[in-house]
Amino acid sequence: MRILVFGMTENPGGVESFLMNYYRHIDRNHIQFDFLCNSYNPVAYEDDLIRLGGRTFHITARSDNYSRYKKELEEVFRAHAKEWDAIWVNVCSLANIDYLKMARKYGINKRIIHSHNSQNMDGKLRGLLHEWNKKKIGKIATDFWACSEDAAKWFYSGNTLQKAVVIHNAIDVDRLKYDEQKRNDVRSKYGWENKFVIGNIGRLHFQKNQAFCLEVFSEYVKENPESVMVFVGQGEDEEKLKQQAKDLHIEEKTCFTGVQKDIQGWLSSFDVFLFPSKFEGLGIAALEAQANGIPVLASKDVIPNEVKIIDNFKFVDLSLDKQHWAKEMVKLEKGTRIQSEKIKKSFVTAGYDIENEIKKIEKLLVKE
């Protein structure tokens, strides 16, 4: 069977990582993916998508030119809808459900909507559109998935919520396990051989709360001057964050790396992972950090409790000040990485190891 997937963007974020993890492991002799992309630039992992047998269909973004977007979207479905057995739409909001409507119009009987967030991360208008479409989604989609219980509750209500299936954002633990050589390579390149490295990976966006990371680090560095704060990723807040680092007089101890492909290497170079998001559907970055064995400091009652897989994961309330978070960081200095064998077992038990979870999604995809 062939499935049209929406969710790949230019930014290799959590949703994109999730899709790539599953695409790499799915039985592509029986299930193959194509990808609908609302950009003419290459999307994250595009070379890999094509290498693995997928096709990418690029259209104009709705926000760039609405009439052209509608025309091109219709053209894609008119030409190829008969080739697809299902559509699988991965989004963080229900503000735009055009892809599902078009799939229904062109006779794609299995229409999956997959929630990847638990709160509005866009403007007021998109928030209103989300609430409006939430009332209609039960008549447009046929299958209702979510990355967590919280994400399901934000996307669905009533009968659709009862039908919702939680799909674990499972990862390839082996691909992310700690690598001593890669750690040394990264730290040597940046001159961090004797530094305590605090890391954050994700889109530079208010949702991820990197501004608070800088506030916490400005306190922590008073206790440990031989430390650095590293942000891996890109986003609309980058310049604002760089200015904040200057204002806090920590710019020389702060590093913005941009998008990086070798996440395993960067995670291996970190000593602590700081993840104070304001809201999350699940938090794949925190799972990936744990797969590497790093101590994690994450926002309490924001990151779902099920994300905690290994012991050196600490929840801290965002209502507590930066001084409190910095003190928790000091405690984590003494934390050590969990051994890979123990991590693997913990992920399998919790249902977040891709080798086990892929069987579940294969069954759901082929189910009528």
Side-chain angles (χ1 to χ4, degrees):
M1 67 184 301
R2 203 162 191 103
I3 297 168
L4 180 64
V5 178
F6 179 82
M8 279 293 185
T9 72
E10 297 171 43
N11 182 52
V15 174
E16 294 82 0
S17 177
F18 162 81
L19 289 172
M20 198 66 231
N21 284 334
Y22 273 89
Y23 190 36
R24 285 192 183 108
H25 290 85
I26 206 158
D27 183 355
R28 293 187 301 279
N29 291 319
H30 295 97
I31 301 173
Q32 186 52 266
F33 291 169
D34 289 331
F35 296 87
L36 180 63
C37 316
N38 59 355
S39 167
Y40 274 99
N41 295 322
V43 294
Y45 313 107
E46 180 144 358
D47 290 343
D48 289 333
L49 303 181
I50 295 169
R51 179 178 56 80
L52 295 173
R55 298 177 296 177
T56 55
F57 296 88
H58 292 264
I59 63 173
T60 299
R62 179 178 175 174
S63 57
D64 289 345
N65 187 316
Y66 182 73
S67 60
R68 186 184 300 166
Y69 151 80
K70 289 289 284 186
K71 178 175 178 288
E72 293 174 357
L73 183 63
E74 185 105 32
E75 288 173 351
V76 168
F77 278 87
R78 185 185 300 118
H80 299 281
K82 291 181 180 178
E83 302 166 21
W84 296 314
D85 301 283
I87 184 172
W88 177 17
V89 176
N90 296 267
V91 284
C92 294
S93 157
L94 289 172
N96 180 8
I97 57 174
D98 291 345
Y99 315 108
L100 291 164
K101 290 179 179 177
M102 198 66 71
R104 183 179 63 174
K105 176 179 178 180
Y106 281 90
I108 298 176
N109 293 326
K110 190 175 185 68
R111 301 181 296 275
I112 306 161
I113 180 70
H114 193 152
S115 168
H116 286 274
N117 217 338
S118 59
Q119 188 175 321
N120 182 31
M121 59 185 287
D122 297 303
K124 185 176 180 181
L125 175 59
R126 286 181 66 83
L128 292 171
L129 287 170
H130 171 85
E131 292 301 323
W132 174 255
N133 287 330
K134 185 175 180 177
K135 300 171 184 175
K136 303 191 296 180
I137 194 65
K139 296 180 180 179
I140 298 168
T142 59
D143 296 74
F144 310 93
W145 296 359
C147 64
S148 68
E149 294 292 344
D150 288 344
K153 291 174 183 175
W154 190 55
F155 259 54
Y156 312 124
S157 60
N159 192 39
T160 55
L161 181 58
Q162 292 177 9
K163 294 178 181 178
V165 177
V166 172
I167 304 293
H168 287 155
N169 284 2
I171 62 175
D172 187 338
V173 177
D174 293 331
R175 284 174 61 93
L176 292 160
K177 68 182 180 181
Y178 176 68
D179 187 304
E180 183 79 20
Q181 184 59 55
K182 289 186 175 183
R183 174 182 174 86
N184 293 337
D185 289 346
V186 172
R187 292 169 75 96
S188 176
K189 178 180 178 181
Y190 287 88
W192 298 336
E193 293 94 334
N194 300 310
K195 302 290 186 181
F196 185 80
V197 181
I198 302 162
N200 173 277
I201 298 177
R203 180 182 173 194
L204 303 181
H205 183 274
F206 84 93
Q207 175 196 2
K208 303 299 182 181
N209 209 12
Q210 285 99 349
F212 187 63
C213 288
L214 289 172
E215 294 285 347
V216 172
F217 179 64
S218 70
E219 288 296 316
Y220 174 79
V221 78
K222 296 174 184 176
E223 298 292 328
N224 184 357
E226 296 302 312
S227 57
V228 293
M229 179 77 233
V230 180
F231 296 103
V232 177
Q234 65 184 18
E236 49 268 61
D237 285 356
E238 183 169 347
E239 292 306 316
K240 184 165 62 175
L241 291 167
K242 287 180 177 178
Q243 183 60 51
Q244 182 184 356
K246 289 181 181 179
D247 294 341
L248 292 169
H249 308 293
I250 54 173
E251 67 270 27
E252 292 183 1
K253 296 178 181 291
T254 305
C255 179
F256 294 86
T257 74
V259 172
Q260 298 291 324
K261 289 185 177 180
D262 186 10
I263 297 302
Q264 179 195 28
W266 282 97
L267 288 171
S268 297
S269 76
F270 298 161
D271 296 301
V272 166
F273 194 83
L274 184 56
F275 199 59
S277 296
K278 293 184 176 181
F279 53 94
E280 287 283 349
L282 187 84
I284 289 181
L287 287 175
E288 292 178 338
Q290 290 178 90
N292 195 266
I294 318 170
V296 177
L297 205 59
S299 38
K300 184 180 180 182
D301 297 329
V302 173
I303 313 300
N305 289 333
E306 64 244 50
V307 170
K308 180 177 179 178
I309 308 293
I310 58 177
D311 295 336
N312 58 355
F313 188 108
K314 173 77 173 180
F315 284 114
V316 183
D317 200 312
L318 274 179
S319 65
L320 297 172
D321 59 26
K322 59 185 179 181
Q323 289 86 0
H324 185 97
W325 277 71
K327 288 177 182 177
E328 292 295 338
M329 190 90 69
V330 171
K331 295 177 186 177
L332 288 180
E333 280 183 16
K334 303 183 178 81
T336 56
R337 272 183 162 80
I338 305 295
Q339 293 299 308
S340 297
E341 296 78 10
K342 184 176 181 182
I343 293 170
K344 180 78 170 180
K345 291 178 182 177
S346 297
F347 269 77
V348 170
T349 300
Y352 283 93
D353 180 64
I354 193 69
E355 293 176 11
N356 288 271
E357 288 300 291
I358 194 66
K359 297 170 186 173
K360 174 182 176 181
I361 210 167
E362 285 175 345
K363 290 179 181 177
L364 288 169
L365 287 172
V366 301
K367 183 180 178 182
E368 294 295 333

